[in-house]
Amino acid sequence: MQLYHHPLDLDSQKVRLALEEEGVDYTSYHVNPITGKNLDSSFFKMNPSGRLPVFQNGSHIIYNTIDIIQYIERIAVVSSGADSISTSSREVIEWMQKIQEWDPKLFTLFYIPEKYLHYVSKFIRRVVIARMSESPELASDYHRKLKEAYETEEKLKDPDVLRRIKDHLVRLLDEVERQLSETPYLAGQEFTMADVMLIPVLARLELLNLENEYITGRPNTSEYWILVQQRPSYKNVIGKYFNGWRKHKTLLKTWCLVRIRSWLKRY
């Protein structure tokens, strides 16, 4: 089993948390979308959307985050052979879907300084054009990706888009706060895949220095956040990359790669 992902990617974090929690072995391949590695023809042929993560088990390839997590649960059930292990309940799946409906990509991009955002966006467009030239048989897929990049830039110019995304996040976190006033975890007394979906969202808010705005003022969510950060899965998947100096190392390394390739015109 192979997972194509990146530590900076929120959906990749969700899948890796699921793999860690279920104890499923896999081969890890880092694909950095900021440096355009998700646009290489070998990856693009496997997933024409260019989005992460991608999970492959033999000839079976899955792109959808929730589908991947549910597939991982089924693998764990088969591997264990224990009757006591079951896949996610309807309530858990409903929470998973609610969380997945929120758009973390645009939300994150709104908080990146404009000069860096413009630089990376220009770099990605050039990568797409270069790959289109190298692999003309994938031209239509690359053209769709280029169009998507321009559409994203237009959305970032619209303050109403940010307002709607923020409102969506507030509604989601308010619902989370109400649920956590009744149960220690999102779907009851036990840690589930619903928590796996929520943890990266809270981690993203902390990464963007928005913890005081969105987490601290919600006491149940704040207590929950402290609790889940103690889990080995969190430490291996997120804490390993974003605690202390490691956060700056991860981001700086990516930024340097973009600058060097731009300077050398190696797209």
Side-chain angles (χ1 to χ4, degrees):
M1 288 176 286
Q2 302 168 340
L3 179 68
Y4 299 84
H5 67 99
H6 193 268
L8 293 168
D9 178 66
L10 191 142
D11 281 341
S12 293
Q13 292 171 353
K14 295 172 182 176
V15 170
R16 289 194 63 219
L17 284 169
L19 286 162
E20 290 282 336
E21 289 288 340
E22 296 290 1
V24 175
D25 291 331
Y26 64 99
T27 302
S28 170
Y29 293 97
H30 279 200
V31 180
N32 194 333
I34 300 176
T35 60
K37 285 299 181 181
N38 61 318
L39 300 171
D40 288 353
S41 60
S42 58
F43 184 83
F44 220 63
K45 288 175 182 177
M46 184 168 53
N47 181 13
S49 73
R51 294 176 183 172
L52 298 174
V54 172
F55 187 81
Q56 183 175 12
N57 186 8
S59 60
H60 191 47
I61 299 174
I62 316 174
Y63 317 120
N64 180 277
T65 300
I66 294 179
D67 289 346
I68 295 174
I69 291 174
Q70 291 180 313
Y71 185 78
I72 290 168
E73 284 190 292
R74 292 195 293 271
I75 291 173
V77 170
V78 172
S79 300
S80 69
D83 295 334
S84 60
I85 299 178
S86 60
T87 55
S88 292
S89 66
R90 181 176 178 180
E91 181 183 5
V92 170
I93 293 172
E94 287 176 354
W95 271 113
M96 292 170 69
Q97 292 170 340
K98 285 179 187 177
I99 295 167
Q100 193 65 10
E101 286 170 0
W102 179 66
D103 187 347
K105 179 182 177 180
L106 280 175
F107 182 85
T108 301
L109 292 177
F110 271 111
Y111 286 94
I112 296 176
E114 188 174 350
K115 64 176 181 178
Y116 298 122
L117 185 62
H118 178 73
Y119 193 94
V120 173
S121 179
K122 184 177 180 180
F123 172 80
I124 292 297
R125 292 199 305 272
R126 288 178 173 175
V127 171
V128 173
I129 293 169
R131 298 296 173 273
M132 191 184 303
S133 176
E134 294 169 1
S135 304
E137 72 277 11
L138 299 173
S140 60
D141 292 325
Y142 280 121
H143 181 74
R144 186 164 51 250
K145 196 67 179 178
L146 189 62
K147 181 181 178 182
E148 181 184 304
Y150 280 114
E151 288 174 348
T152 297
E153 288 187 16
E154 288 303 311
K155 288 177 181 177
L156 293 174
K157 297 175 184 177
D158 187 351
D160 286 339
V161 173
L162 176 59
R163 178 184 54 79
R164 288 194 294 271
I165 295 174
K166 281 185 170 183
D167 289 346
H168 188 171
L169 176 61
V170 168
R171 290 194 302 272
L172 174 62
L173 292 178
D174 285 346
E175 189 171 355
V176 167
E177 177 69 10
R178 287 192 295 271
Q179 179 61 42
L180 293 176
S181 69
E182 300 175 1
T183 56
Y185 293 104
L186 198 53
Q189 300 298 318
E190 303 292 334
F191 186 94
T192 68
M193 292 299 113
D195 301 291
V196 159
M197 297 289 289
L198 179 61
I199 289 171
V201 174
L202 301 180
R204 179 56 53 91
L205 295 174
E206 186 176 84
L207 179 66
L208 296 173
N209 296 317
L210 296 171
E211 186 177 7
N212 288 338
E213 183 176 350
Y214 291 102
I215 300 176
T216 306
R218 296 176 169 86
N220 298 308
T221 305
S222 184
E223 183 178 343
Y224 167 88
W225 178 227
I226 294 171
L227 174 66
V228 295
Q229 287 182 83
Q230 307 309 311
R231 298 184 74 84
S233 61
Y234 171 85
K235 294 176 182 179
N236 291 334
V237 173
I238 300 175
K240 178 180 177 180
Y241 296 96
F242 296 108
N243 283 344
W245 63 271
R246 292 185 181 87
K247 174 177 72 173
H248 303 290
K249 178 184 176 182
T250 303
L251 297 173
L252 182 61
K253 181 180 178 181
T254 297
W255 175 243
C256 287
L257 284 171
V258 171
R259 290 298 300 267
I260 291 170
R261 287 177 59 190
S262 295
W263 183 65
L264 295 175
K265 298 188 184 300
R266 296 288 297 272
Y267 304 114

